Amino acid sequence: MMSPKQISDERGSPHFRNTPFQIIHVIGNFFRIWSVYSMYRYLNQTGAPVVLFLFCCLVPSSIIFLIVQKPWKGRALSNQQIVPSLINGVITALYFILWGKGLKSCGPLRAILSEYSGAVLGVLSGVLYGRRGHVWKKVGGLVAMLVALFFLSQGWATLSLSPFYILLRKFLLFYNTETKEEEVLKEQALGLMGMMIPVFAGILSALRRVIARRVSLKNQQKKRLHAITITSATCFLFPLAMWDLVIGSSSSEKTSELPFSAWAFFSTIVFGIILIFYVDNIAEERLHMVFSSPRHLMVAGACIIVMEIAYEMDFSLPGFIVCCLVLGFGIYEATSLERSKKDSSVKSEDLLIGVSGNDFDTSPILPI
């Protein structure tokens, strides 16, 4: 029987204290990925313009961020913080455009996993600032990420194009002569060029996170500046959304009206834009977990499996696991520094992922 002292020691352990934050992180990412699948189904079924849909979601999101964070109150923000945040809003808008286009053309699974391609910034920081002995290690991680993206582009995570399913089918046909050959290929492989749009979106996503961390040294400042960034992105998307509206109204085949779906808009606004920002912020501050990390990929991968099965998508579990393992290995090697076998403290973990509290300006590593 455990003594009260042992129970109190376990409850005081870092793992036990971080359990609620880990649960919040998993739930938040689950709802965010759910919103991505809802958005994908909405765009495919209605044919709505991607930019116009994203603009309609960013307008209420920016208003909510401004009301909650009130960047005009409190300690005055300097121009060195406001100007980069406005520029970061343009990068955020470009990210949303490319990611939305990639989601519609490549599907939610490829679009979500392509966001982790931003880990190439870790390779860049390692080449510029890291030791020469670790350059090849990071280049190896980059190669592994490219291999994972190649597998995704060839449809390894889809049932119709997965090599595991094709081999199994050939095996069954070989031993069962009465089975008639059916048309299995539901879609053609995208190829690497087809994956470029969501890959560039992932790099822009990592870049905007790096800028946000470099500009804001404190957590509260980061939240206030994020409200400015989202507002700037909304303003940048306004003329593009109006252009989509004009093009849609001038076309004789398409209608200019944006079909309304309560769940698609609500989930994208609440879970895909607002909630995920606070969830990722908690993960960074409490769990020392950045977006482009193997642990984050593991959580996202589990949520993707649930959504692929729930939405009855063209999904191959073995191929998806292989892609995630290769991608996770590439991220691990590309974003890591030299590890000490004996040092397992939180400080070494902060250096490992390139995040060390308030030392953003002095660290040469680009946290992603």
Side-chain angles (χ1 to χ4, degrees):
M1 186 173 179
M2 298 180 63
S3 63
K5 183 178 181 181
Q6 290 175 333
I7 296 176
S8 61
D9 291 341
E10 286 189 1
R11 290 182 178 178
S13 63
H15 179 74
F16 188 88
R17 291 197 304 267
N18 291 334
T19 300
F21 301 114
Q22 293 173 350
I23 295 175
I24 292 174
H25 179 252
V26 172
I27 295 176
N29 277 273
F30 175 79
F31 279 105
R32 188 258 172 172
I33 292 177
W34 190 0
S35 70
V36 172
Y37 278 82
S38 301
M39 175 182 172
Y40 172 74
R41 173 164 291 187
Y42 170 80
L43 293 176
N44 270 5
Q45 290 180 349
T46 63
V50 175
V51 178
L52 186 58
F53 174 82
L54 291 173
F55 173 74
C56 293
C57 293
L58 281 175
V59 169
S61 300
S62 60
I63 294 174
I64 293 174
F65 274 124
L66 290 174
I67 294 175
V68 174
Q69 299 304 331
K70 298 180 177 62
W72 57 86
K73 287 188 176 182
R75 185 176 180 180
L77 299 173
S78 63
N79 291 332
Q80 288 79 7
Q81 293 176 314
I82 296 177
V83 174
S85 297
L86 294 175
I87 298 175
N88 200 19
V90 178
I91 298 176
T92 302
L94 294 176
Y95 153 72
F96 275 118
I97 294 173
L98 292 178
W99 183 82
K101 298 287 186 181
L103 173 65
K104 193 170 184 179
S105 61
C106 300
L109 187 149
R110 294 187 181 101
I112 294 172
L113 292 185
S114 296
E115 288 183 303
Y116 294 92
S117 60
V120 297
L121 295 184
V123 179
L124 179 62
S125 76
V127 173
L128 295 178
Y129 303 106
R131 297 181 181 179
R132 294 182 179 180
H134 296 279
V135 172
W136 290 110
K137 192 174 184 181
K138 291 182 175 295
V139 172
L142 176 61
V143 172
M145 287 191 293
L146 292 176
V147 171
L149 294 175
F150 174 77
F151 288 164
L152 288 172
S153 67
Q154 296 302 310
W156 278 45
T158 61
L159 183 62
S160 57
L161 296 176
S162 174
F164 301 100
Y165 178 75
I166 294 175
L167 290 175
L168 177 61
R169 183 173 172 275
K170 289 183 177 180
F171 177 80
L172 294 177
L173 287 174
F174 180 78
Y175 285 98
N176 189 3
T177 57
E178 296 179 357
T179 304
K180 296 181 180 180
E181 187 171 357
E182 300 176 355
E183 290 292 335
V184 179
L185 295 180
K186 298 180 182 178
E187 58 180 22
Q188 297 294 328
L190 285 175
L192 282 177
M193 294 304 298
M195 291 283 294
M196 285 298 101
I197 294 179
V199 167
F200 282 131
I203 296 175
L204 288 177
S205 177
L207 180 60
R208 70 189 181 96
R209 289 188 176 93
V210 171
I211 295 176
R213 293 191 187 99
R214 297 288 173 172
V215 171
S216 57
L217 299 180
K218 294 182 179 180
N219 188 27
Q220 189 61 32
Q221 287 183 345
K222 181 179 179 180
K223 295 177 181 179
R224 295 168 65 192
L225 292 172
H226 183 73
I228 298 176
T229 299
I230 294 297
T231 305
S232 173
T234 306
C235 295
F236 181 80
L237 278 181
F238 174 73
L240 301 179
M242 294 302 101
W243 177 259
D244 271 359
L245 191 62
V246 171
I247 293 298
S249 61
S250 62
S251 176
S252 58
E253 296 180 358
K254 297 181 180 180
T255 177
S256 60
E257 296 181 358
L258 182 65
F260 180 76
S261 173
W263 174 248
F265 282 93
F266 175 82
S267 61
T268 304
I269 294 169
V270 176
F271 303 134
I273 299 177
I274 298 176
L275 179 64
I276 193 61
F277 166 73
Y278 294 103
V279 170
D280 285 342
N281 194 53
I282 290 175
E284 292 178 11
E285 296 295 328
R286 301 294 183 176
L287 302 177
H288 306 284
M289 182 192 306
V290 293
F291 183 85
S292 294
S293 63
R295 288 193 296 167
H296 197 288
L297 176 62
M298 181 176 63
V299 174
C303 297
I304 289 174
I305 292 175
V306 175
M307 287 293 102
E308 287 284 324
I309 297 175
Y311 277 80
E312 299 179 352
M313 306 290 287
D314 186 14
F315 179 64
S316 171
L317 181 60
F320 175 75
I321 292 177
V322 170
C323 293
C324 284
L325 290 176
V326 178
L327 182 61
F329 173 77
I331 294 173
Y332 181 79
E333 295 295 331
T335 60
S336 63
L337 294 176
E338 183 180 7
R339 297 175 178 85
S340 176
K341 294 182 180 179
K342 296 182 180 180
D343 188 6
S344 59
S345 63
V346 176
K347 182 177 180 181
S348 68
E349 184 180 4
D350 289 342
L351 293 175
L352 173 66
I353 61 177
V355 180
S356 56
N358 294 335
D359 298 333
F360 293 117
D361 286 345
T362 59
S363 174
I365 302 302
L366 295 175
I368 303 166

